Amino acid sequence: MRTGFAPSLNGSVEDLLPGPDPGTVYAAGSFTQVGGTAQSHVTLLNLTNGQIVSGFRPASTNGKVNALTMARGRLVLGGNFTVAGGAAHGGLASLDPRTGALDGLMGVNVSQRHNDTGSGAQGAVGVRDLEATSDGSKIAAIGNFKIVDGLPRDQLVVLDVSPSTAVVDADWRTRRYEPYCFNWAFDTYIRGVAVAPNDQWFAVTTTGGHNTGTLCDTAARWEFDAVGDDIQPVWVDDTGGDTLWGVEVTENAVYVGGHQRWMNNSDASDTNGQGATPRPGLAALDVET
């Protein structure tokens, strides 16, 4: 442990991202102060001493920031907020990566909770996780939303990002996350997203309980260049009723972590069905299958 790095934040940290210079790191979460200095839900820290990097004064948000990614040279925020820098921003905003000033790239807004039945679990609307391709031209974002800029995009949206603006990819929609997953317990159930190193596809992980025919408690691969109004995943790997929280994609494997007991377990619920492979807590999935 680096004993000199001891930042003092008044709330949780939900995501970290390398900063714009060596020896710096972005942090995002529920905090509003760092060492007694106002830093609204995102900060840039010196890795040597844990202090705020001089000159970084982030635009304030009126809710938690859950996730960070870099796209087109901007720091993109995803979270449970409706205002950023004094302007309306529904769950998405972008900042200057060095100053923290609000940037005009991200004008996309998410709205309406996934569980719109009026009963059961009711969670905060917003973006839970997001990741951009290496060139910043695409962003995959997940969270508790049903509509994105007036278009139906239930819990998952793909954004097209130009050097000056971001828009919803009008040709990319899946309906596989529209079904409810035990909505008495789960409002939104998508938990993680990660883009492949070749920028051609991404993987999504979920919770939700075993619900036959749905993508609850699964990992799934999605292609960025797919086109349609009901796009299907390339593959799905089912835990058989256990949550997958995190996901990272490398050239050779999709790593998924959670409280799962098995993978390859589509035929059973809370037991090891035919073909199930024991992988408690961590698994590596074949990128092609």
Side-chain angles (χ1 to χ4, degrees):
M1 183 177 72
R2 300 184 63 167
T3 57
F5 181 78
S8 176
L9 294 82
N10 68 339
S12 65
V13 171
E14 302 295 331
D15 200 12
L16 298 168
L17 190 71
D21 297 309
T24 63
V25 64
Y26 294 108
S30 66
F31 59 86
T32 56
Q33 292 184 352
V34 179
T37 299
Q39 296 275 283
S40 178
H41 304 108
V42 62
T43 190
L44 178 60
L45 301 176
N46 185 305
L47 283 173
T48 300
N49 55 27
Q51 300 298 305
I52 299 168
V53 172
S54 178
F56 189 79
R57 300 179 178 86
S60 63
T61 59
N62 67 341
K64 181 171 67 172
V65 174
N66 296 314
L68 303 169
T69 194
M70 290 294 298
R72 301 291 191 180
R74 279 81 154 197
L75 178 65
V76 180
L77 319 179
N80 303 115
F81 53 83
T82 58
V83 175
H89 282 273
L92 291 162
S94 55
L95 308 182
D96 183 290
R98 294 189 177 277
T99 69
L102 187 68
D103 176 85
L105 176 75
M106 189 61 62
V108 177
N109 296 282
V110 306
S111 60
Q112 298 186 27
R113 62 173 42 90
H114 166 69
N115 177 23
D116 59 357
T117 64
S119 63
Q122 301 286 288
V125 173
V127 172
R128 182 184 181 93
D129 197 9
L130 76 170
E131 188 164 355
T133 56
S134 58
D135 64 359
S137 64
K138 295 279 189 182
I139 293 177
I142 63 170
N144 190 11
F145 52 81
K146 226 174 173 66
I147 303 295
V148 185
D149 276 2
L151 297 173
R153 295 292 187 275
D154 209 329
Q155 300 192 90
L156 169 62
V157 65
V158 172
L159 306 180
D160 285 325
V161 188
S162 76
S164 59
T165 190
V167 298
V168 178
D169 185 336
D171 297 321
W172 204 105
R173 177 190 179 191
T174 182
R175 300 188 179 186
R176 292 300 304 274
Y177 296 112
E178 292 180 3
Y180 303 126
C181 289
F182 294 144
N183 63 322
W184 52 268
F186 301 98
D187 189 339
T188 180
Y189 54 85
I190 297 189
R191 291 294 181 260
V193 62
V195 174
N198 65 9
D199 292 336
Q200 295 178 2
W201 58 277
F202 59 95
V204 171
T205 54
T206 66
T207 184
H210 185 72
N211 288 264
T212 302
T214 74
L215 296 184
C216 312
D217 286 337
T218 67
R221 170 177 166 167
W222 302 91
E223 302 296 306
F224 274 118
D225 64 359
V227 174
D229 194 56
D230 190 14
I231 293 169
Q232 298 297 310
V234 173
W235 52 252
V236 175
D237 200 326
D238 199 314
T239 67
D242 292 334
T243 297
L244 296 174
W245 289 102
V247 56
E248 289 294 339
V249 182
T250 70
E251 291 86 350
N252 300 312
V254 177
Y255 293 93
V256 294
H259 67 71
Q260 82 274 15
R261 292 160 286 179
W262 308 278
M263 299 300 301
N264 305 347
N265 194 24
S266 59
D267 295 329
S269 177
D270 288 325
T271 187
N272 54 330
Q274 182 176 357
T277 304
R279 287 294 184 274
L282 184 64
L285 311 181
D286 186 285
V287 296
E288 299 297 333
T289 65

